[in-house]
Amino acid sequence: MKNVIKLDSLNNAPLQTLPFPYFKVEESIYPDDIKGIINSFPDIADGGSYNVDDVELNEPFKSLIESIDSPEFRRIICEKFDVQVMDLPMMITLRGYSRQKDGRIHTDSKTKVATILIYLNEKWEADTGKLRILRNGHDMNDYVDEISPGPGALLAFKVTDNCWHGYPAFEGKRQSIQINFLTSAAAGNKHRFFHRLSAKLKRLISRRN
């Protein structure tokens, strides 16, 4: 397997602890690989999350998925956040399009131990659509950090009661991978079921239109 993730950059990224534990890497994928990975991102024209198992994967995008689902990647998350995810189920979902309603302030489900986001857009020129690490659950402008969803930008955070995040409304192409380590296989099955159901409903609606 060819590893395309700059694991040293993840290892060396400083851990921020306020308002909750997180770290970011501006360029998490090797420069020689990033363009091909972006170009081979699955064609997702609708909003919402899609299970990685429910879309067609081609190289070199498949190499990125394989690099994520590796012991080395898991070990970094364990060490950064002082959590044990080596044997926890991993869920990977993809987003290709942002709707106006997306990005609202939220915390992640308690069935998730850690969340990692990798953005796969050639560039980001819009003022909106940048993910914000927030101090609270009601003010999008009260943030401590902002991550532009450019080529290979990565954000990882430990799921806590106050892991508030979101982004100012943006509509258009906004490609990303979300990786979650889940508390149990049952939690994973539940999340995948609802993502799969949502995807089927969107396809039915699209066909009717």
Side-chain angles (χ1 to χ4, degrees):
M1 182 196 81
K2 177 185 178 182
N3 173 59
V4 299
I5 296 178
K6 297 163 67 175
L7 296 173
D8 286 346
S9 294
L10 272 65
N11 260 322
N12 296 329
L15 178 68
Q16 308 298 328
T17 58
L18 295 175
F20 53 88
Y22 76 94
F23 70 90
K24 65 177 183 178
V25 176
E26 297 278 346
E27 299 176 357
S28 67
I29 298 171
Y30 287 110
D32 290 345
D33 299 303
I34 184 64
K35 185 174 182 180
I37 289 170
I38 291 173
N39 289 340
S40 58
F41 191 95
D43 184 16
I44 299 175
D46 296 318
S49 296
Y50 287 77
N51 296 322
V52 72
D53 296 334
D54 294 337
V55 298
E56 183 179 353
L57 302 182
N58 297 303
E59 292 291 357
F61 186 82
K62 285 178 67 175
S63 295
L64 175 58
I65 299 301
E66 291 170 355
S67 298
I68 291 168
D69 193 7
S70 68
E72 294 80 10
F73 187 87
R74 286 175 178 264
R75 197 168 293 115
I76 290 172
I77 301 304
C78 288
E79 293 173 357
K80 285 288 187 182
F81 297 132
D82 191 24
V83 293
Q84 294 300 321
V85 302
M86 295 304 294
D87 297 318
L88 291 183
M90 174 190 284
M91 180 177 69
I92 301 177
T93 53
L94 309 177
R95 283 179 175 263
Y97 189 88
S98 175
R99 303 160 294 187
Q100 279 291 321
K101 67 177 183 178
D102 293 330
R104 293 173 183 171
I105 299 173
H106 66 285
T107 59
D108 278 12
S109 163
K110 291 182 179 180
T111 59
K112 300 175 181 178
V113 176
T115 296
I116 303 95
L117 296 163
I118 302 176
Y119 294 100
L120 293 170
N121 304 287
E122 290 185 9
K123 56 185 177 179
W124 198 261
E125 297 179 339
D127 292 331
T128 58
K130 300 175 183 178
L131 190 71
R132 292 178 176 179
I133 301 295
L134 301 166
R135 292 188 178 92
N136 57 63
H138 57 267
D139 187 355
M140 185 69 78
N141 292 317
D142 189 8
Y143 62 98
V144 300
D145 210 342
E146 187 176 60
I147 297 88
S148 181
L154 177 148
L155 171 74
F157 62 88
K158 185 176 181 178
V159 175
T160 63
D161 290 339
N162 69 321
C163 64
W164 300 105
H165 58 284
Y167 60 86
F170 172 83
E171 183 157 359
K173 186 177 179 180
R174 187 178 184 272
Q175 297 183 156
S176 64
I177 298 177
Q178 180 167 310
I179 305 107
N180 294 110
F181 291 102
L182 303 171
T183 55
S184 68
N189 292 336
K190 181 179 179 180
H191 283 292
R192 290 186 185 90
F193 171 79
F194 284 111
H195 290 318
R196 187 168 290 129
L197 179 62
S198 175
K200 287 180 178 178
L201 289 174
K202 284 196 284 280
R203 282 195 292 269
L204 285 172
I205 293 171
S206 178
R207 288 170 186 167
R208 288 175 180 175
N209 292 336

